[in-house]
């Protein structure tokens, strides 16, 4: 019996829950506590539940299910916590423990296995997804579907997401991805770009522009051939073994390229790459390699600033711009200044910080699909602050935030007056690369 309890404590990272002194400093920064108003849906309440399960005071683990499923994983609570509680690690461990014991229905198991094991990790499958989307757009099927009532009938509000997806690129363009782009002028650094799975399938243009901008500021740019999905969606869904396998594949793929930095343009993927060291620290064969990988992993904004930014940017006289901060960039990677510095470097731009800028927008991986109503409540709060800025451009640094902000703009009927752009698109336009 005691052995079982000890095993469960280890599995749940119980020791880490002891650091919580129940002060409640994390409550006002937690979007789900603010919107739902329940202690069990706050960081303190969630930690307490895990603690009670670890101590055997709660026998049924399913008590954790709803509170943890409704957690965004934004980790704002970690930033606010004065005692350094590693909430992300507690959350991941508890989700993995739940998944291990859960009996999924056959259709759910099939979808999970297909997405986590076959689609996200496969370049071929992700390319096929991107190409199918292009075909859907190119053949005119998209127009027909949009005019019909069909989108409204899709489950999980997927129709709403369909209307804000970026323009697809053709299979021909997709196949033209050079594995090396030389620095313009004198070389300052050699970097390897992490292209991501969804980022590469649906936002390939942003990847291409990232490579051009890195070359523009003086980087030799490599694209590691054997790289794969970062594993963030797996880790956040409790599939830790799959996440570790993907991390190992990426570490091996980037070892072949002797780069100074591994550069990504997605806050969510970036946070995962940044934490490979933590993820594999118990595996002697991988721990050091993983730590080195994480140390080299940077957001593109950090590298662009490190290289001195851009000269001769087009003036944007009086353009009001605000920045939707990515939670995983802010709370995990602790990158807060560089994106703003780059936005402000464009002459004439009037940068306005929105109130509660660090508060999650409700996107959080697939949270906005599986917990649509809760996500929209959080988004509506975000849009209130966005509107107060009177900005005509919202900049993001993460594809999830980009999509969520576009949904927000649609919900507010602002699509004719407010643009949502990834930082890379905005910079590429100002530099003339676009
Ligand atoms: S997680 Fe940190 S901030 Fe929140 S109650 Fe515990 S000690 Fe306080
Ligand atoms: S990760 Fe975000 S949503 Fe989850 S408990 Fe922490 S602050 Fe709240």
């Amino acid at each position: 019996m005691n052995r079982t309890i000890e095993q469960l404590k280890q599995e749940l990272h119980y020791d880490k829950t002891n650091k919580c002194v129940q002060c409640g400093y994390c409550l006002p920064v937690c979007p789900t506590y603010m919107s739902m108003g329940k202690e069990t849906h706050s960081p303190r309440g969630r930690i307490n539940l895990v603690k009670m399960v670890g101590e055997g005071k709660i026998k049924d683990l399913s008590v954790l299910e709803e509170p943890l499923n409704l957690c965004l994983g934004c980790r704002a609570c970690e930033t606010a916590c004065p005692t350094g509680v590693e909430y992300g690690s507690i959350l991941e461990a508890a989700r993995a423990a739940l998944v291990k014991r859960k009996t999924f229905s056959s259709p759910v198991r099939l979808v999970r296995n297909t997405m986590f094991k076959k689609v996200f990790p496969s370049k071929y499958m992700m390319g096929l997804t991107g190409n199918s989307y292009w075909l859907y757009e190119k053949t005119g099927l998209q127009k027909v579907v949009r005019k019909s009532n069909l989108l409204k009938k899709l489950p999980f509000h997927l129709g709403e997401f369909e209307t804000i997806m970026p323009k697809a690129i053709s299979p021909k363009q997709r196949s033209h991805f050079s594995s090396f782009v030389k620095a313009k002028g004198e070389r300052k650094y050699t970097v390897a770009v992490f292209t991501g799975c969804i980022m590469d399938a649906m936002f390939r243009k942003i990847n291409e522009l990232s490579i051009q901008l890195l070359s523009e500021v003086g980087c030799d740019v490599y694209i590691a051939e054997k790289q794969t999905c970062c594993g963030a969606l797996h880790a956040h869904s409790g599939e830790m073994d799959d996440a570790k396998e993907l991390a190992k594949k990426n570490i091996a793929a980037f070892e072949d390229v002797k780069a100074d930095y591994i550069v990504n343009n997605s806050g969510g993927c970036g946070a995962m790459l940044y934490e490979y060291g933590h993820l594999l620290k118990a595996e002697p064969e991988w721990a050091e390699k993983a730590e080195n990988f994480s140390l080299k992993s940077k957001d593109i904004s950090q590298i662009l600033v490190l290289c001195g930014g851009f000269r001769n940017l087009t003036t944007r006289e009086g353009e009001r711009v605000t920045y939707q901060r990515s939670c995983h960039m802010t709370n995990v990677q602790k990158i807060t200044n560089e994106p703003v510095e780059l936005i402000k470097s464009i002459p004439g731009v009037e940068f306005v910080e929105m109130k509660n800028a660090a508060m999650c927008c409700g996107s959080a991986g697939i949270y906005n699909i599986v917990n649509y109503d809760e996500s929209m409540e959080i988004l509506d709060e975000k849009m209130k602050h966005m509107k107060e800025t009177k900005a005509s451009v919202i900049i993001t640094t993460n594809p999830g935030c980009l999509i969520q902000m576009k949904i927000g703009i649609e919900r507010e009927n602002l699509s004719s007056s407010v643009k949502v752009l990834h930082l890379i698109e905005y910079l590429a336009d100002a530099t003339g690369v676009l």
Side-chain angles (χ1 to χ4, degrees), residues 41 49 65 105 121 124 218 225 232 265 271 275 340 371 378 385:
H41 294 37
L49 285 175
E65 213 162 300
S105 67
Y124 173 75
E225 175 69 20
N265 53 19
E275 294 206 311
V340 174
N371 297 308
I378 292 165
H385 301 314

Side-chain angles (χ1 to χ4, degrees), residues 26 29-33 41-43 46 70-78 87 91:
C26 54
V29 303
C30 174
T32 60
Y33 178 69
H41 294 37
S42 76
R46 288 170 175 130
L70 287 176
C71 170
L72 294 147
C74 68
R75 295 178 52 184
C77 45
E78 270 189 24
Y87 178 82
L91 174 69

Side-chain angles (χ1 to χ4, degrees), residues 67-291:
L68 297 191
N69 285 347
L70 287 176
C71 170
L72 294 147
C74 68
R75 295 178 52 184
C77 45
E78 270 189 24
T79 301
C81 179
T83 66
V85 172
E86 293 172 58
Y87 178 82
S89 173
I90 297 169
L91 174 69
E92 258 172 21
R95 279 182 173 165
L98 275 176
V99 164
K100 206 167 125 188
R101 287 161 181 80
K102 195 166 168 72
T103 319
F104 291 106
S105 67
S106 302
V108 172
R109 198 171 54 240
L110 182 71
V111 171
R112 282 181 76 97
N113 281 344
T114 308
M115 295 313 285
F116 289 141
K117 293 185 195 303
K118 305 266 188 266
V119 179
F120 295 136
S122 160
K123 218 176 246 181
Y124 173 75
M125 290 303 288
M126 290 311 292
L128 200 65
T129 307
N131 291 344
S132 308
Y133 189 70
W134 173 81
L135 210 62
Y136 165 70
E137 203 181 270
K138 186 77 184 163
T139 55
L141 185 59
Q142 184 179 56
K143 278 194 190 132
V144 176
V145 169
R146 284 186 180 180
K147 271 191 195 152
S148 73
N149 226 5
L150 212 64
L151 287 178
K152 289 200 178 110
K153 294 194 173 135
L154 289 178
F156 297 110
H157 300 267
L158 288 175
E160 212 173 306
F161 292 90
E162 194 276 350
T163 57
I164 47 90
M165 288 313 283
K167 212 172 154 34
I169 62 159
S170 72
K172 197 170 162 202
Q173 275 174 290
R174 187 173 291 282
S175 63
H176 283 166
F177 211 34
S178 169
S179 58
F180 174 70
V181 177
K182 209 170 159 31
K184 292 233 173 99
E186 192 194 336
R187 180 174 62 81
K188 294 174 184 152
Y189 296 102
T190 299
V191 301
V193 167
F194 180 79
T195 51
C197 59
I198 294 172
M199 199 69 205
D200 209 40
M202 305 309 288
F203 299 92
R204 166 65 73 94
K205 188 75 197 156
I206 297 176
N207 274 348
E208 285 174 2
L209 293 173
S210 299
I211 292 166
Q212 287 182 58
L213 290 183
L214 286 164
S215 155
E216 204 69 34
V217 295
C219 294
D220 272 355
V221 188
Y222 285 91
I223 295 95
E225 175 69 20
K226 291 182 185 148
Q227 63 178 296
T228 182
C229 162
C230 66
L233 289 172
H234 303 74
H236 300 159
S237 307
E239 304 285 354
M240 295 313 288
D241 290 342
D242 288 344
K244 286 178 187 170
E245 279 316 302
L246 292 171
K248 289 173 190 171
K249 281 190 182 151
N250 278 324
I251 293 166
F254 281 88
E255 250 177 7
D256 296 344
V257 186
K258 303 282 176 251
D260 302 311
Y261 297 107
I262 297 160
V263 185
N264 70 83
N265 53 19
S266 156
C269 303
M272 188 68 201
L273 304 178
Y274 182 79
E275 294 206 311
Y276 276 1
H278 158 78
L279 185 72
L280 297 174
K281 72 167 181 247
E283 300 198 26
E285 201 193 323
W286 288 94
E288 195 183 335
K289 289 180 189 177
E291 191 53 40

Side-chain angles (χ1 to χ4, degrees), residues 11-24:
E11 204 183 330
L12 291 172
H13 294 183
Y14 169 81
D15 284 354
K16 294 185 175 174
T17 65
N18 285 330
K19 260 194 166 179
C20 176
V21 294
Q22 308 285 310
C23 65

